[in-house]
Amino acid sequence: QVQVVESGGGLVQAGGSLRLSCAASGPTFSNYAMGWFRQAPGKEREFVAAISWSGGTTVYADSVKGRFTISRDSANNTVYLQMNSLKPEDTAVYYCAARRLQAAEVTPSKYNYWGPGTRVTVSS
């Protein structure tokens, strides 16, 4: 069983930066692909970024490409989402998810474990 918990959300002005962290528990974390998703009020959950088990493959939504960077520290069972040049439209609850397979995926249903989320608010 894998548990994931996000942290690092908060209020930031447009153009600012935040780094989200996702701490995962479980002995096989290094074998899991990880993803970040977000859900804005009144909208469906959407893909943000994903990383393969090795960290060798990363995938980004077009809306965040060039601004967000996903990375992982398997020694510390942690995944990060560095968010730069934030925009008001990035405001959402951000969720970390773990997948029992090694390949990064963009579809929420492909992930097996989810964190409770951390709220990010970007003011204009």
Side-chain angles (χ1 to χ4, degrees):
Q1 185 77 7
V2 173
Q3 292 184 323
V4 294
V5 178
E6 307 90 341
S7 62
L11 174 64
V12 64
Q13 288 189 332
S17 298
L18 279 176
R19 189 176 79 158
L20 304 184
S21 298
C22 172
S25 64
T28 57
F29 167 77
S30 60
N31 294 334
Y32 286 53
M34 302 293 293
W36 285 97
F37 295 80
R38 67 187 181 186
Q39 188 165 16
K43 296 188 177 181
E44 293 187 354
R45 191 169 298 190
E46 66 173 1
F47 169 74
V48 175
I51 189 166
S52 63
W53 72 280
S54 67
T57 299
T58 56
V59 186
Y60 296 93
D62 288 343
S63 60
V64 306
K65 203 171 292 184
R67 301 188 297 122
F68 291 10
T69 302
I70 188 171
S71 61
R72 68 188 299 159
D73 179 354
S74 292
N76 291 304
N77 284 9
T78 304
V79 174
Y80 302 99
L81 185 68
Q82 177 66 44
M83 305 187 296
N84 299 329
S85 302
L86 283 161
K87 304 175 181 180
E89 51 263 45
D90 294 319
T91 294
V93 176
Y94 283 71
Y95 297 91
C96 178
R99 182 167 187 260
R100 282 198 297 261
L101 295 174
Q102 297 177 346
E105 280 284 349
V106 304
T107 307
S109 62
K110 300 283 189 179
Y111 288 81
N112 307 102
Y113 308 101
W114 292 82
T118 186
R119 186 173 300 276
V120 172
T121 303
V122 184
S123 63
S124 57

